[in-house]
């Protein structure tokens, strides 16, 4: 038994976002005597300490926004020349992966994986053009193409359809199973009245997550059903703006901002409904988790159908009709279904992390031979 193969994952930082959480879930459930993860990042992240505890190394180079294009490319080139021992480079930066994989290829790294976690780029016109340019290097510089859903694959690898491998965003499903005890406990901690109906959302405060729309539909729902509360987990650049909006609508007693949470599994137990009106997504891990916790989910029809695990919990709605959302929220409240989900539904659909981790481990070992 030799040393484990070391995979270099390239991300901006290891914070609690969807792609990063998936990486950590895989990492925790893999046989680390065979496969070890190292990370090339640009900023400190919430998972750094745990990565080092599990034997991973974290390398850091300044990000493009700090040092500009030329110096960033030089830093990437220099990194891959300095660490020629990485045979497998796995980039998770959507279009920006193009620059990373180009430098890896120049330095002779034999296996270069591009992984799509989204279906659109964030940022203004200049940022999008820049990312588009970066993205043009992906097809010539990647040796393997992974995506979290068909739609995410089509977006990043338009002409590589038959080559794209779908890696499902697995979760630790046994941790999400509904527990009335946990529900009571979390509601007490958050000081939520036992009779109130909780609409929940988990996501960064960024344009993509469409928080403004969520506040609008909740405001209307709350006018008609005053015993409803909205609980928002996450943080991000638009949070102050959304807090202002909540105050302007005089909903400050009805909307709770929790910030970044490390206990989403527990938090979901306290919700009664999950609402997710994103403008675009790859395949949101939170929606798999919400279904794992037996929550009815109202989501925008911009999100891929693949996220629906077929256990009658997901309803996709058009963002063009706010009243329809309010109407569907009311009917979910009336239905008030019991929180039981078929035990094997997650693993049957391929969303159990143990299966995903075993598959990924096999994939790495297979391509490294």
């Amino acid at each position: 038994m030799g040393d484990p193969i070391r995979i270099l994952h390239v991300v901006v930082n290891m914070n609690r976002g969807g792609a990063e959480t998936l990486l950590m879930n895989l990492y925790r459930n893999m046989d680390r005597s065979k496969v070890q993860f190292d990370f090339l990042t640009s900023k400190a992240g919430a998972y750094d300490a745990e990565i080092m505890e599990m034997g991973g190394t974290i390398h850091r180079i300044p990000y493009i926004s700090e040092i500009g294009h030329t110096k960033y490319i030089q830093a990437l080139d220099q990194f891959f020349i300095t660490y020629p021992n990485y045979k497998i480079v796995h980039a998770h930066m959507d279009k920006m992966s193009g620059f990373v994989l180009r430098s890896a290829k120049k330095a002779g790294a034999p296996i270069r994986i591009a992984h799509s976690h989204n279906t659109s780029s964030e940022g203004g016109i200049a940022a999008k053009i820049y990312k588009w340019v970066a993205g043009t290097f992906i097809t010539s510089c990647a040796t393997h193409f992974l995506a979290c859903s068909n739609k995410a694959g089509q977006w990043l690898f338009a002409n590589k359809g038959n080559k794209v491998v779908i890696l499902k965003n697995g979760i630790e499903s046994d941790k999400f199973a509904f527990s009335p005890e946990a529900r009571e406990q979390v509601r007490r901690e958050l000081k939520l009245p036992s009779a109130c109906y909780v609409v929940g959302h988990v996501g960064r405060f960024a344009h993509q997550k469409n928080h403004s729309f969520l506040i609008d539909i909740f405001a209307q729902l709350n006018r008609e059903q005053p015993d409803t509360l909205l609980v928002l987990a996450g943080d991000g650049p638009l949070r102050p703006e959304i807090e202002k909006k909540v105050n302007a609508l005089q909903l400050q007693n009805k909307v709770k901002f929790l910030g970044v949470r490390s206990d989403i599994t527990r938090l979901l137990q306290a919700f009664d409904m999950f609402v997710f009106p994103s403008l675009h997504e790859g395949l949101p891990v939170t929606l798999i988790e919400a279904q794992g916790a037996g929550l009815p989910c109202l989501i925008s029809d911009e999100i891929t159908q693949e996220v629906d695990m077929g256990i009658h919990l997901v309803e996709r709605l058009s963002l063009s009709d706010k009243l329809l959302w309010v109407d569907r929220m009311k009917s979910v409240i009336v239905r008030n279904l019991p929180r039981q989900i078929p035990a094997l539904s997650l693993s049957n659909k391929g969303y159990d992390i143990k299966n995903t981790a075993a598959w990924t481990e096999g994939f790495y070992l297979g391509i490294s031979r």
Side-chain angles (χ1 to χ4, degrees):
M1 192 58 219
D3 289 334
I5 54 167
R6 300 195 84 90
I7 315 292
L8 182 73
H9 289 282
V10 189
V11 293
V12 178
N13 60 17
M14 281 306 288
N15 275 339
R16 299 184 193 281
E20 296 80 5
T21 300
L22 168 69
L23 277 179
M24 292 305 288
N25 279 341
L26 289 172
Y27 192 12
R28 293 177 192 123
N29 285 280
M30 237 175 233
D31 181 344
R32 293 193 289 279
S33 67
K34 295 183 185 160
V35 176
Q36 241 312 338
F37 284 6
D38 290 345
F39 294 84
L40 174 58
T41 67
S42 292
K43 298 170 183 154
Y47 288 127
D48 292 1
E50 189 187 347
I51 289 169
M52 293 191 269
E53 264 162 43
M54 292 196 284
T57 306
I58 300 173
H59 305 281
R60 201 161 286 153
I61 60 172
Y63 194 50
I64 202 150
S65 50
E66 290 156 47
I67 53 170
H69 173 77
T70 312
K71 287 198 168 122
Y72 179 64
I73 301 298
Q74 283 168 348
L76 281 173
D77 286 349
Q78 189 53 53
F79 174 83
F80 287 110
I81 290 163
T82 312
Y83 295 95
N85 49 340
Y86 286 114
K87 300 282 173 274
I88 299 181
V89 178
H90 191 154
H92 302 270
M93 290 163 60
D94 289 334
K95 299 213 174 216
M96 294 297 290
S97 296
F99 290 143
V100 173
L101 298 176
R102 181 178 63 165
S103 292
K105 184 179 182 179
K106 255 196 292 194
I111 296 164
R112 305 174 298 276
I113 303 165
H115 197 144
S116 177
H117 294 276
N118 218 321
T119 55
S120 168
S121 286
E122 285 292 287
I125 300 289
K128 284 189 169 155
I129 291 173
Y130 183 78
K131 288 174 181 174
W132 179 83
V133 171
T136 57
F137 293 102
I138 289 177
T139 37
S140 58
C141 297
T143 56
H144 295 76
F145 306 89
L146 292 185
C148 59
S149 69
N150 289 317
K151 208 169 160 187
Q154 284 155 6
W155 171 68
L156 198 58
F157 320 119
N159 48 359
K160 286 280 179 217
N162 55 349
K163 285 236 179 96
V164 178
V165 177
I166 304 295
L167 170 61
K168 300 234 174 134
N169 288 352
I171 64 167
E172 301 183 84
S173 47
D174 40 350
K175 286 190 183 163
F176 283 88
F178 180 63
S179 136
E181 297 76 37
R183 175 188 172 83
E184 283 308 303
Q185 198 188 1
V186 177
R187 283 187 159 223
R188 272 201 305 277
E189 284 166 31
L190 297 176
K191 302 188 172 52
L192 303 171
S194 56
C196 74
Y197 190 95
V198 177
V199 177
H201 179 271
V202 176
R204 274 185 75 241
F205 282 82
H207 174 67
Q208 160 186 11
K209 299 293 181 191
N210 211 3
H211 281 87
S212 186
F213 180 95
L214 178 57
I215 301 299
D216 286 340
I217 57 176
F218 175 73
Q220 182 56 39
L221 175 74
N222 188 259
R223 268 180 224 121
E224 301 178 34
Q225 310 221 350
D227 60 344
T228 48
L229 283 179
L230 177 62
V231 175
L232 303 171
D235 210 341
L238 299 182
R239 179 170 164 179
E241 188 183 307
I242 297 299
E243 287 178 338
K244 239 189 241 147
K245 178 166 182 158
V246 166
N247 292 342
L249 290 165
Q250 300 185 320
L251 287 170
Q252 54 272 50
N253 298 328
K254 300 289 188 170
V255 181
K256 271 195 187 300
F257 292 85
L258 303 184
V260 175
R261 301 282 293 215
S262 56
D263 59 347
I264 298 300
T265 32
R266 288 180 64 248
L267 209 51
L268 291 172
Q269 307 286 336
F271 295 172
D272 294 300
M273 178 194 327
F274 199 81
V275 180
F276 207 73
S278 295
L279 301 167
H280 59 86
E281 286 285 347
L283 193 141
V285 181
T286 19
L287 280 177
I288 302 297
E289 295 173 340
Q291 290 172 83
L295 278 171
C297 302
L298 295 181
I299 72 174
S300 77
D301 59 8
E302 298 296 323
I303 300 170
T304 171
Q305 183 74 55
E306 293 158 80
V307 81
D308 185 345
M309 293 176 352
I311 46 180
H312 311 296
L313 287 173
V314 172
E315 195 173 344
R316 290 161 82 240
L317 302 171
S318 160
L319 290 171
S320 62
D321 187 350
K322 285 185 181 164
L323 289 177
L324 174 68
W325 284 73
V326 178
D327 190 54
R328 301 314 299 154
M329 286 160 88
K330 288 194 299 201
S331 68
V332 170
I333 294 175
V334 174
R335 277 209 314 260
N336 198 14
L337 296 171
R339 291 274 289 273
Q340 255 51 51
I341 69 155
L344 284 168
S345 49
L346 281 159
S347 50
N348 291 347
K349 291 277 178 195
Y351 287 114
D352 189 285
I353 194 67
K354 291 182 183 59
N355 310 352
T356 317
W359 182 90
T360 309
E361 192 180 298
F363 172 75
Y364 287 142
L365 294 168
I367 59 180
S368 65
R369 285 203 180 97

